[in-house]
Amino acid sequence: MDDFVCDTLTKSGLSNLIEAFEDEGIDTESFYLLQDADIDKMIPKMGPRLKFKKLLSQLKVLPSTNDMGKRKSDQQLDSNGQQAAKRKCETNSSAETEAKILTNVRNTMGGICAMLQDDSDLNTLLKTKIKNLETETKELVGVFGKTGAGKTSLINAVLEERNLLPSGSVSACTSVMIKVEGNRHNEKYEAEIEFISPEDWEDELGSLHCIIKKGNQEVQDNVDDSDEEYHDAVDKLSALYEEEWREKSCEQLMESKYFKEIPEFFQSRSKNLIFESAKDLSADIVKYTKDSPKNKNYNKIKQWYWPLVKCVTVRVPNHPSLQHVTLVDLPGNGDRNKSRDTMWKGIVGDCSTVWVVTEVNRAAAEQESWDILKNVASQIGNGGECRHIHIVCTKSDDIDDSDVTTKAETQALILKRNAETKERVTKEFNKLDKIKKHFSDECFQVFTVSSREFFRKRDLSPEDTEIPNLQEFLQNLNDCHSETLNYVSGAHGILSLIHGASRRKEDDRIKEVFEALEKNLTLQIESITNEMMKIYNVFEEHLQEGVERSKNSYENILRSTLYPHKRDGRGFHKQLKKAVENRGVHRPKKGREMNININLTSHLADSIDEEFRTTFPNDGKCGPFKGVIYSFSLVTEELKEKYKDVELQLVSLKSEEERLKTSLNKSIRKRKKTVYRSLIKTIEETLQDCYKKAAAFTGTGTLQNMRETIENHVHGSKNTMFENAKRVMMNHLHNLMVCYF
């Protein structure tokens, strides 16, 4: 069962049917193919069966979702691209129809709002509810991958915009994040450039000069080639200032003459660009997103502004799958700049889907891709909102076909290699026990794609490139947040309240209903409270076990962290120095990050990871706190049957109940991230004094002095540090519980 089916049943007050639909494997496509006989068999009770049939008939007038049922029936089209073209045409038509429905309902509700002239309590309530019908929901799809893996080409192919984003092959990777979303306001291609602040850049200039001074030592060119931090600093300064930075002070490099083309930088506002075509946009934004490439097409560009850019948002017109979905091209390890790193962490934690892009010919064996996943696992799992992890193996058409003579043989060779790759990658993923604690088995999927073949259609059909599979995934993800469905459902509840209020009578029946609702509410809150107390006690027990294990093993953790095998002293000295200068964390451009805080928190996190995932699942099938909120129901079917004269009020109340549950679940999903992240945050804060002390060492013996400083501090704090981390997490969990109930 996919998210659309789960969310639709939940929002319609039929969450009790989720298990039955899941058992039958009902997804979006089969949902719309259900016949009366199927429904009768799957939903034996008449009440919920009639409700579901009504819901299904209503949804079928919304083509944006109904069209999904057609997609598989189009599989017989030939491979010359007709299928993809037909799908796009149908989706665009569906979006237009849905937009008309939404406009009509909005006009109706706007007319009602205009008639609510006086400020009575009821009118004020109704106007507030009508205003709250307007919601904006975005699903973030984070796209990770090393330079050259084909991230840009993948995004361009999925959006069927060959020239949208500048190809990464022209230059080295930068730390600029690129968001791609739908333009819902006009028919233009737009780019919004968000800069870091001038203050941030001035601080960074000072840091870059210090890095270069250290690297140069006494002779500027006498630099260890392995020092990537030095080369990064040179690249940043050279991109923006060419060679002038070598003779200028930080104050001089902040002069306005260097920023004439981007006056918005000093005004602390975004730069907005509008284009008629994707090609024009791509050519213009390259200087904001890529390092200066050795390419004659870019010889006219003298300044490259990517060092100043925090994020570039590209908006694409006429793209239905991007109405509620944003693709984000992300660097794998965050950034040394604080504002960029803060944005990176926020976006990563908000991603509902992660695509890890790697080349197909070394997808299973390439360590860098797995390192990316390991680095972000806790931030997207228990510390985030991720429901889907996709390993996207690119360049599937890149194969040695020198011994084959026909297109059919080439195709068979590619498809065989793709199947083998999926099997190997899945096998490797199943070895990652720590990562799997954060995710259910259903969330993981492997795709083998060819962006080049999707456009040129020489050796593979569009379907065999698997680009249409990713397109369909995005469309389904988008349709889970049908603005029309949400708005119309909310409007139905408001109209029921208005009609019910117009027929309201003060009699004993009203009192009976009120007393019945009050009794139900008391019982439901009691049930929720009891379940939360059980959860609280389980967390406390598991965390205490984690505290004891941490106390007993911290020395081993420090030994493996501070005295790694197969590392020479000089190389590790630099790594540890950078870590203590950056709050215990060193993030290289490639490979695993060094994070002393995570290592020391590992036993605490391991003790509650599985319990945390089942208590606060990201997949939305049962909701937080083991499903007690999803199962909450104030308005029962018995009440609606017994009190027909107030049925409309009860319908309105049921609609409000579902709205509140949806809002509550969303809010808890955000706040649970603070609960989970509190463990590492507390450990990090405890170690700050020793990091500052360790960072101050210079000269002979620096490495050993840093090691001993950290070891002595942790040893002196072992009896309080882990207990304090547990206490802080339990306080956050308690506050989350009492905040809502």
Side-chain angles (χ1 to χ4, degrees):
M1 183 176 69
D2 55 28
D3 292 341
F4 169 77
V5 178
C6 180
D7 291 346
T8 300
L9 292 174
T10 300
K11 291 174 182 177
S12 305
L14 297 170
S15 55
N16 57 314
L17 300 180
I18 289 177
E19 186 175 349
F21 276 64
E22 187 172 12
D23 290 342
E24 296 295 332
I26 304 297
D27 58 11
T28 303
E29 180 190 353
S30 54
F31 183 89
Y32 282 98
L33 297 175
L34 287 172
Q35 303 298 313
D36 284 347
D38 304 320
I39 297 170
D40 293 344
K41 180 180 178 181
M42 193 164 53
I43 312 175
K45 289 189 177 181
M46 181 178 293
R49 182 169 70 241
L50 293 175
K51 283 184 176 182
F52 177 75
K53 286 183 177 180
K54 180 180 178 181
L55 168 67
L56 187 59
S57 64
Q58 290 173 336
L59 288 176
K60 284 185 175 180
V61 305
L62 299 178
S64 66
T65 51
N66 192 30
D67 278 348
M68 288 178 214
K70 298 177 183 179
R71 289 179 185 150
K72 291 292 183 181
S73 65
D74 289 330
Q75 298 294 315
Q76 303 305 315
L77 290 174
D78 59 49
S79 61
N80 63 2
Q82 292 179 22
Q83 182 175 338
K86 182 172 181 179
R87 180 189 296 108
K88 187 173 183 180
C89 180
E90 287 176 344
T91 306
N92 287 336
S93 175
S94 302
E96 291 172 5
T97 305
E98 186 172 341
K100 291 178 182 177
I101 294 171
L102 182 59
T103 299
N104 290 338
V105 179
R106 273 184 175 149
N107 290 339
T108 299
M109 300 310 292
I112 292 172
C113 194
M115 291 189 291
L116 302 173
Q117 296 295 331
D118 63 77
D119 293 327
S120 65
D121 290 343
L122 177 59
N123 283 358
T124 301
L125 174 66
L126 291 172
K127 284 189 280 190
T128 300
K129 286 183 174 296
I130 292 172
K131 181 181 178 181
N132 290 341
L133 288 174
E134 299 288 352
T135 58
E136 178 64 30
T137 306
K138 286 282 188 182
E139 294 275 0
L140 293 184
V141 177
V143 186
F144 295 89
K146 71 170 191 176
T147 304
K151 285 193 300 179
T152 300
S153 298
L154 173 68
I155 293 173
N156 288 350
V158 167
L159 301 181
E160 298 188 46
E161 293 278 5
R162 191 191 293 264
N163 300 309
L164 180 64
L165 298 183
S167 171
S169 62
V170 299
S171 62
C173 174
T174 72
S175 55
V176 176
M177 288 163 281
I178 304 176
K179 297 181 182 179
V180 184
E181 59 188 33
N183 186 349
R184 305 175 65 181
H185 305 294
N186 57 57
E187 302 281 313
K188 307 291 186 181
Y189 290 83
E190 296 181 350
E192 180 182 349
I193 319 295
E194 184 179 352
F195 300 100
I196 62 175
S197 70
E199 294 76 18
D200 275 352
W201 179 240
E202 190 167 15
D203 289 343
E204 193 167 348
L205 280 174
S207 298
L208 294 174
H209 273 286
C210 287
I211 291 168
I212 291 172
K213 186 177 180 181
K214 285 181 184 178
N216 286 336
Q217 297 178 355
E218 293 182 359
V219 181
Q220 185 166 331
D221 293 327
N222 183 21
V223 182
D224 180 3
D225 288 337
S226 65
D227 192 342
E228 73 174 23
E229 194 172 42
Y230 171 86
H231 292 292
D232 284 349
V234 172
D235 287 345
K236 279 188 175 182
L237 293 173
S238 299
L240 188 59
Y241 302 107
E242 296 189 280
E243 294 300 306
E244 289 188 37
W245 62 270
R246 298 185 184 277
E247 307 296 330
K248 302 282 186 179
S249 66
C250 292
E251 185 178 357
Q252 290 173 315
L253 293 177
M254 289 298 295
E255 292 176 3
S256 59
K257 67 179 182 179
Y258 294 111
F259 309 93
K260 289 180 180 179
E261 194 177 338
I262 49 170
E264 298 86 355
F265 172 69
F266 279 118
Q267 298 164 4
S268 295
R269 62 186 180 89
S270 298
K271 186 178 187 70
N272 295 295
L273 305 169
I274 300 175
F275 307 92
E276 293 294 331
S277 69
K279 187 176 182 180
D280 291 341
L281 180 146
S282 180
D284 201 86
I285 69 169
V286 67
K287 59 178 171 284
Y288 300 104
T289 62
K290 299 294 179 184
D291 198 357
S292 45
K294 304 299 184 288
N295 187 312
K296 63 181 181 180
N297 294 328
Y298 302 109
N299 286 342
K300 294 181 180 179
I301 299 176
K302 299 302 181 184
Q303 281 186 291
W304 297 83
Y305 296 110
W306 61 265
L308 306 175
V309 177
K310 183 157 57 174
C311 180
V312 174
T313 300
V314 173
R315 298 187 179 93
V316 183
N318 303 318
H319 215 291
S321 65
L322 294 183
Q323 300 307 296
H324 305 289
V325 172
T326 298
L327 293 169
V328 192
D329 184 347
L330 288 159
N333 280 349
D335 191 73
R336 297 184 184 97
N337 176 273
K338 187 175 180 180
S339 64
R340 270 194 293 260
D341 194 55
T342 299
M343 175 178 270
W344 181 87
K345 288 178 180 177
I347 291 175
V348 168
D350 289 343
C351 286
S352 64
T353 300
V354 163
W355 290 353
V356 179
V357 182
T358 183
E359 293 180 57
V360 71
N361 55 6
R362 48 179 180 268
E366 186 174 66
Q367 192 59 40
E368 189 170 343
S369 299
W370 296 116
D371 284 342
I372 289 173
L373 189 55
K374 291 172 184 176
N375 289 341
V376 301
S378 64
Q379 296 176 73
I380 65 176
N382 285 340
E385 301 182 29
C386 185
R387 303 193 299 275
H388 308 280
I389 296 177
H390 295 163
I391 304 296
V392 184
C393 308
T394 58
K395 307 179 184 179
S396 67
D397 62 311
D398 188 5
I399 196 164
D400 181 8
D401 57 356
S402 57
D403 294 331
V404 300
T405 58
T406 67
K407 176 179 176 180
E409 289 178 324
T410 300
Q411 185 179 44
L413 199 61
I414 291 172
L415 296 180
K416 181 176 181 292
R417 197 267 303 273
N418 289 351
E420 293 170 349
T421 298
K422 289 182 179 182
E423 186 177 343
R424 287 198 301 269
V425 171
T426 301
K427 186 176 180 180
E428 286 299 314
F429 179 78
N430 288 333
K431 296 177 183 178
L432 305 177
D433 294 332
K434 285 194 174 184
I435 291 179
K436 292 186 70 178
K437 283 186 176 183
H438 293 264
F439 306 99
S440 63
D441 292 336
E442 295 79 14
C443 82
F444 182 74
Q445 196 170 356
V446 185
F447 296 88
T448 49
V449 306
S450 172
S451 304
R452 179 171 60 181
E453 274 298 304
F454 180 73
F455 284 117
R456 76 180 181 179
K457 306 174 183 66
R458 190 186 71 183
D459 295 323
L460 296 175
S461 69
E463 298 305 314
D464 286 336
T465 69
E466 296 196 21
I467 293 295
N469 295 357
L470 292 175
Q471 291 175 326
E472 186 164 17
F473 171 81
L474 291 182
Q475 190 64 56
N476 289 344
L477 195 63
N478 180 83
D479 291 344
C480 286
H481 297 281
S482 170
E483 189 177 11
T484 302
L485 177 60
N486 295 337
Y487 195 98
V488 172
S489 299
H492 179 247
I494 294 172
L495 292 173
S496 296
L497 177 61
I498 293 172
H499 288 301
S502 67
R503 300 190 322 204
R504 180 179 175 184
K505 296 178 181 179
E506 292 291 344
D507 55 26
D508 292 338
R509 300 280 284 175
I510 297 293
K511 293 180 181 178
E512 284 182 35
V513 174
F514 181 81
E515 289 172 357
L517 290 171
E518 195 171 44
K519 180 180 178 180
N520 283 350
L521 179 60
T522 301
L523 291 173
Q524 293 286 338
I525 290 179
E526 183 179 347
S527 174
I528 290 174
T529 302
N530 290 338
E531 185 61 37
M532 285 188 171
M533 284 306 301
K534 292 179 186 177
I535 290 170
Y536 186 90
N537 292 333
V538 169
F539 266 79
E540 186 161 41
E541 180 182 341
H542 287 349
L543 275 174
Q544 190 57 44
E545 293 172 359
V547 168
E548 297 306 319
R549 287 203 299 270
S550 297
K551 289 179 181 179
N552 293 330
S553 61
Y554 77 90
E555 290 178 320
N556 291 334
I557 292 172
L558 286 178
R559 191 175 299 113
S560 63
T561 302
L562 301 178
Y563 301 88
H565 294 299
K566 299 179 181 179
R567 292 295 307 273
D568 65 273
R570 176 177 173 81
F572 183 71
H573 165 270
K574 289 185 176 182
Q575 187 179 19
L576 184 58
K577 185 72 169 178
K578 291 168 184 175
V580 296
E581 290 174 345
N582 189 40
R583 302 176 68 85
V585 183
H586 169 55
R587 295 192 182 100
K589 273 192 172 183
K590 298 179 181 178
R592 292 292 306 275
E593 70 177 16
M594 178 184 185
N595 195 318
I596 302 170
N597 311 310
I598 284 182
N599 293 347
L600 287 170
T601 313
S602 59
H603 286 304
L604 285 169
D606 287 345
S607 71
I608 51 96
D609 271 341
E610 290 186 13
E611 184 66 26
F612 200 96
R613 178 171 66 83
T614 57
T615 303
F616 300 103
N618 289 335
D619 57 24
K621 290 180 181 177
C622 67
F625 297 115
K626 306 295 179 70
V628 291
I629 295 176
Y630 266 169
S631 61
F632 176 95
S633 182
L634 185 61
V635 181
T636 63
E637 292 307 309
E638 290 80 1
L639 277 178
K640 291 168 73 175
E641 289 295 324
K642 186 175 180 180
Y643 300 103
K644 289 288 187 182
D645 49 342
V646 290
E647 183 178 7
L648 287 173
Q649 288 95 325
L650 292 175
V651 168
S652 173
L653 190 58
K654 184 67 176 177
S655 175
E656 181 66 9
E657 176 186 297
E658 295 302 329
R659 187 192 70 79
L660 286 173
K661 286 198 292 187
T662 300
S663 175
L664 189 58
N665 288 329
K666 183 178 179 181
S667 177
I668 291 173
R669 188 179 295 149
K670 296 291 183 185
R671 291 192 59 176
K672 66 100 174 179
K673 291 185 274 190
T674 301
V675 177
Y676 186 80
R677 295 173 185 176
S678 66
L679 285 177
I680 187 172
K681 184 178 180 182
T682 304
I683 298 296
E684 181 181 310
E685 289 172 351
T686 304
L687 296 173
Q688 285 316 297
D689 286 344
C690 87
Y691 289 151
K692 291 177 182 177
K693 185 176 179 181
F697 288 115
T698 58
T700 305
T702 293
L703 176 59
Q704 192 57 30
N705 287 335
M706 289 191 293
R707 285 168 167 165
E708 290 177 358
T709 298
I710 296 170
E711 289 172 320
N712 292 337
H713 186 93
V714 174
H715 180 75
S717 306
K718 66 175 181 177
N719 291 323
T720 57
M721 179 169 66
F722 303 114
E723 288 280 1
N724 192 39
K726 172 202 163 187
R727 179 184 59 79
V728 171
M729 173 176 260
M730 294 307 297
N731 284 342
H732 279 297
L733 181 61
H734 178 264
N735 292 338
L736 176 60
M737 291 175 170
V738 301
C739 177
Y740 299 110
F741 302 98

